[in-house]
Structures are given as C-alpha cells and as structure tokens.
C-alpha cells in the first residue's frame, strides 16, 4: 500500500478533523451536570476549544488551559471575545465545573495541585478511553506503541486518579464516540493529530507511520471509502472536598 503523503499540521488537523469526534462525550457530561447559564466552567487540556465553545453556547462562563501552544492559538481564534485560554492553569480556580476530557495517568501531580486550588464542592470530570474491547481504534493505536518500541499504554485509570487526587467520586458514565472520516487520508491526519503517534514518528519517520496507520485502518474502511470505528469513552464525576 502506498502511504498517504499529507501535510502534517497536528493542531489544525485536531481542530478540523478529530476534535468533533468527542462531541457526544462533551454533551453527555454537560447534560449530566446541568451545565448552563450561571455555570462557571474551566477546561483543563481544552485543546482548540470546541468543548469550551459548546459550554459557552449553553450560557456557561468558560476558560481553559492547554500546554500545546498551537491549539491554544486556535482556541483563542474560535472562542468569544473575553474568554481566557492559557498554556498553564491559573493558581486559583473559582469554577463550579472543571473538565479534563483527555485524562492521563501522568496528570496526577497536576490534578492534586488543581484540587488544592479549586473551590470546595466543585465538580471535577475526568474522561478517557473505555474498555479496549469496545474501542475499534485500539488496534490502530497499538501501531504507535509497536513503532515506538514500547508496550501498549492502557487507558487511564480514572478511579485511581480520583482517589489519588483526594476527590470524592459521585458518578460516572459511558458514551459512544464513533470515529468517522470521509476517507483514509482524513483518518490518518485525524489520528496523527491526537499526539499518540509522536514517539513513533521520532523513532521511524512520518511516511512509515502513515503507511502502517493506513494498513491498520483497512478493516474499518467501508465500501464507499469512508472510515468508521465505533468507540466507547468513560467519564467519572467527582467533587472537591
């Protein structure tokens, strides 16, 4: 199979292709918490701002932070004037809801610090991949681990993060978030934009990673050329003590 040589613009590809795949997750969490007028919401790891934009459309006052400079720049372009998006969270977090839709096990130290600065009773939402057997994208992500020569990383242990941060769990849910793409080229660009393949690209090269992603996508290419991968994501809601 000939690799798809596509422009590699991860932040813009995330904003234009991949970020919308998680809209069902954002909506489910906002419905669960009743996010609306009067809600003060902070997005930790807010990416290019789609989840914040959706909360703002419900009437919430929003702000966010993300360490990816390019994604922050895109978030500032698309969000309403006056919404603050920074590369580091502020020291004080006077918010009713704090979301981390892309939780990782490595975020525990930052989560502990966030918990200390959040107001008592604030809701903290952590989300990540659901069970691997219910995530069609999981075999594709194994390509990244193999090319980077390390064991596949499991999804984040959301319950352990909640406990380690000293939060009080109050609810959870699972949400179907299928990844659908117009074609293989779009799928490759979207998946590369997640950041999951960065080590693989450094260990080999971009064209090799693209080729192997395309091969792993083959079972999910439909007769019309579109790509469809059913996935389930899980979220946990906790409260600051």
């Amino acid at each position: 199979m000939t690799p798809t040589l596509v422009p590699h613009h991860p932040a813009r590809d995330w904003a234009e292709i991949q970020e919308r795949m998680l809209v069902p997750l954002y909506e489910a969490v906002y419905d669960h918490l009743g996010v609306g007028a009067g809600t003060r919401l902070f997005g930790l790891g807010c990416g290019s701002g789609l989840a914040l934009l959706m909360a703002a459309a419900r009437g919430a006052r929003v702000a966010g932070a993300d360490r990816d400079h390019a994604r922050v720049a895109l978030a500032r372009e698309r969000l309403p004037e006056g919404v603050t998006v920074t590369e580091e969270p502020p020291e004080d977090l006077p918010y009713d809801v704090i979301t981390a839709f892309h939780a990782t096990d490595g975020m525990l130290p930052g989560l502990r610090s966030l918990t200390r600065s959040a107001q008592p009773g604030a809701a903290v939402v952590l989300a990540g991949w659901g069970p691997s057997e219910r995530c069609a994208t999981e075999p594709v992500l194994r390509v990244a681990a193999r090319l980077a020569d390390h064991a596949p990383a499991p999804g984040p242990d959301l319950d352990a993060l909640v406990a380690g941060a000293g939060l009080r769990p109050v609810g959870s849910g699972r949400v179907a978030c299928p990844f659908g793409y117009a074609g293989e080229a779009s799928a490759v660009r979207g998946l590369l934009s997640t950041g999951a393949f960065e080590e693989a690209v450094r260990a080999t090269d971009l064209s090799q990673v693209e080729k192997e992603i395309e091969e792993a996508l083959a079972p999910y290419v439909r007769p019309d050329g579109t790509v469809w991968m059913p996935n389930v994501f899980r979220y946990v809601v906790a409260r600051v003590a």
Side-chain angles (χ1 to χ4, degrees):
M1 183 180 294
T2 303
T4 303
L5 299 177
V6 297
H8 191 48
H9 302 300
R12 193 159 293 279
D13 287 344
W14 172 262
E16 295 178 354
I17 300 173
Q18 193 64 32
E19 192 173 23
R20 60 186 170 82
M21 307 298 177
L22 298 182
V23 164
L25 173 64
Y26 305 154
E27 291 282 14
V29 168
Y30 294 163
D31 286 345
H32 184 115
L33 294 173
V35 170
T39 302
R40 297 170 299 169
L41 183 144
F42 185 86
L44 185 66
C46 66
S48 49
L50 179 58
L52 293 181
L53 190 63
M54 291 170 59
R58 289 170 168 248
R61 289 184 290 163
V62 302
D66 196 286
R67 292 184 176 179
D68 187 309
H69 176 78
R71 291 189 185 186
V72 167
L74 290 172
R76 289 171 175 167
E77 288 179 11
R78 77 199 309 188
L79 287 163
E81 186 176 351
V83 173
T84 300
V85 179
T86 59
E87 292 181 33
E88 293 291 341
E91 292 185 2
D92 296 319
L93 290 170
Y95 298 93
D96 309 308
V97 176
I98 300 167
T99 61
F101 286 119
H102 308 283
T104 65
D105 290 326
M107 72 182 297
L108 182 55
L111 189 59
R112 285 175 177 156
S113 176
L114 177 150
T115 300
R116 287 194 296 269
S117 61
Q119 63 180 19
V124 178
V125 182
L126 306 178
W129 291 99
S132 59
E133 66 273 13
R134 297 191 63 188
C135 295
T137 308
E138 196 267 344
V140 182
L141 297 176
R142 283 204 299 267
V143 170
R146 177 170 54 79
L147 292 177
D149 196 25
H150 62 66
D157 188 334
L158 303 178
D159 300 300
L161 283 171
V162 166
L167 297 165
R168 176 172 56 89
V170 295
S172 65
R174 292 183 177 181
V175 185
C177 292
F179 287 7
Y181 305 94
E184 288 178 87
S186 177
V188 169
R189 288 173 57 199
L191 291 166
L192 283 171
S193 76
T194 65
F197 295 88
E198 288 181 358
E199 286 188 45
V201 171
R202 289 194 293 268
T204 54
D205 61 72
L206 179 58
S207 62
Q208 177 66 22
V209 174
E210 289 178 344
K211 175 180 179 294
E212 300 219 19
I213 291 175
E214 284 191 349
E215 291 174 352
L217 286 171
Y220 311 108
V221 179
R222 300 193 290 190
D224 63 359
T226 59
V227 178
W228 186 258
M229 294 184 289
N231 298 298
V232 169
F233 279 70
R234 179 172 182 256
Y235 68 87
V236 173
V237 180
R239 296 280 179 182
V240 176

